[in-house]
Each structure stands twice: as structure tokens, then as C-alpha cells.
Amino acid sequence: MKALSVGALAELMQECLPHTRTLPATGDDLLDSSFRELGFDSLAMVQFAEALQDKLKVVISDPELDRIATPRDVLEYVHGRPPRDRDADR
């Protein structure tokens, strides 16, 4: 599996959004925004997970995908750290 840079992640995310939408944030603002804030609905998230699998050979199961809330979570997951259990934070 390859490392995933912030720029490559942003490009992949943009590919999964409808062509009429663009990512409204960059840098840390992008990494810490929720996918919902960035315009991702459930279909876009599934497409994004499939794109990660195709390009990086990383599989994100449905339960894991449900716990991934931000692009930073994706980077952590891809680089070998499981997503945080956000319910435990409450």
C-alpha cells in the first residue's frame, strides 16, 4: 500500500463529488472538516471508499467507513491507525 498525501487525498475526494461541487476547504481545514460539511452524502462516501480500494488497495469495511468522519481519519486509517470510536468520546 502506498502512502497517501493530503494533496492526493484531496484529488481523490474531488473525483468522488458531483462535478458541480468543489471542495470548499484546503489544508487543515480540509482535514478536520466532516465529510458531510465537505458535501459528501452516503453515495459519495461509498464511491470514495471504492476509489481508495482501487487506487491504494486499502479496504474499508462498512462499519469502519461509518466511523470515518473526516479526511484526517482517512489518512490515519490508510497509514495504519484504525479510526477512533467517536461514540467513546462522548
Side-chain angles (χ1 to χ4, degrees):
M1 173 182 10
K2 298 184 221 173
L4 181 63
S5 70
V6 174
L9 175 63
E11 287 177 22
L12 190 59
M13 290 169 60
Q14 186 61 56
E15 290 173 16
C16 297
L17 283 174
H19 295 295
T20 57
R21 298 194 68 123
T22 58
L23 291 173
T26 59
D28 283 341
D29 288 338
L30 172 72
L31 292 177
D32 295 324
S33 296
S34 74
F35 279 102
R36 185 166 305 282
E37 291 170 332
L38 295 169
F40 280 71
D41 59 15
S42 58
L43 178 59
M45 284 303 295
V46 169
Q47 291 172 331
F48 180 58
E50 290 173 355
L52 282 170
Q53 181 172 331
D54 290 345
K55 293 194 180 205
L56 299 175
K57 307 302 182 221
V58 61
V59 177
I60 302 176
S61 69
D62 289 342
E64 291 164 327
L65 185 60
D66 289 342
R67 292 195 320 243
I68 291 175
T70 67
R72 187 177 304 279
D73 291 342
V74 172
L75 287 177
E76 290 175 354
Y77 183 84
V78 167
H79 294 129
R81 285 165 271 167
R84 287 191 336 231
D85 184 352
R86 296 197 183 283
D87 291 335
D89 292 343
R90 292 182 190 170

